[in-house]
Amino acid sequence: MINFYLNKKVSIENLITINSKETNIIKFLTKKNKSFKKFGELYGSFILKNKIKAWKIQKKNSMNLFVPFGKVKVVCYYKQGTVEFILNSKSPQKLNILPGVYYGFKGLVKKSLILSLLDGLHDNISSINIPSKLIDYDW
């Protein structure tokens, strides 16, 4: 089931976990997912506990976020509204953020990894960082 937020600019979906004797497999994304348009690039960011990386906006790329290791709070801001998500490896979910939404994240455990799959290539024109004080949010 997919839940939508902020005028359908942000959605979250539980991921399928396949359990086996050797390991657990998490199905992150397939071509059949509505949030998948095309592959641009995949990158990861490590974040330490209580560290904040905010705020960023993608002007033309959609992204899918996933936390395969650790626990991260993700906050999205769009047209005077915010929504918070907790992504973690124990109950895997995929967060899809469409262009035009500001987002940031905070590490909630000693060390976490957040993966971001974009449908285009990252560049300094389409992805903009702004100072955290420009959006009024208490982390």
Side-chain angles (χ1 to χ4, degrees):
M1 180 174 169
I2 301 173
N3 292 309
F4 294 93
Y5 302 89
L6 301 177
N7 295 331
K8 296 190 176 184
K9 291 283 213 172
V10 177
S11 62
I12 192 159
E13 179 179 3
N14 292 331
L15 297 177
I16 296 170
T17 301
I18 302 164
N19 298 313
S20 71
K21 290 180 182 179
E22 296 83 26
T23 186
N24 293 336
I25 299 166
I26 299 170
K27 187 181 268 192
F28 176 59
L29 192 66
T30 72
K31 289 182 178 181
K32 293 180 181 179
N33 285 102
K34 290 183 180 183
S35 63
F36 180 79
K37 294 178 182 156
K38 62 180 181 173
F39 178 78
E41 66 182 7
L42 173 69
Y43 65 89
S45 297
F46 285 102
I47 186 157
L48 302 177
K49 186 175 184 174
N50 295 322
K51 297 297 179 187
I52 299 167
K53 293 185 178 183
W55 295 94
K56 181 175 241 174
I57 186 171
Q58 297 287 333
K59 292 175 74 178
K60 64 181 182 180
N61 293 319
S62 295
M63 69 167 72
N64 288 286
L65 299 177
F66 171 66
V67 174
F69 174 79
K71 187 174 182 181
V72 175
K73 177 180 184 178
V74 180
V75 179
C76 298
Y77 172 85
Y78 179 72
K79 292 189 177 179
Q80 314 311 320
T82 59
V83 64
E84 302 174 359
F85 303 94
I86 303 296
L87 300 179
N88 66 76
S89 53
K90 292 184 179 174
S91 55
Q93 295 178 302
K94 175 177 56 74
L95 183 65
N96 178 255
I97 304 173
L98 296 180
V101 175
Y102 290 93
Y103 64 94
F105 48 91
K106 176 182 180 179
L108 298 178
V109 296
K110 186 176 180 179
K111 189 175 186 180
S112 300
L113 173 64
I114 187 166
L115 296 179
S116 180
L117 174 66
L118 278 75
D119 60 8
L121 295 177
H122 172 81
D123 60 42
N124 291 333
I125 296 169
S126 66
S127 175
I128 301 169
N129 293 323
I130 65 166
S132 60
K133 63 184 176 185
L134 292 182
I135 294 176
D136 185 26
Y137 181 80
D138 183 14
W139 288 94

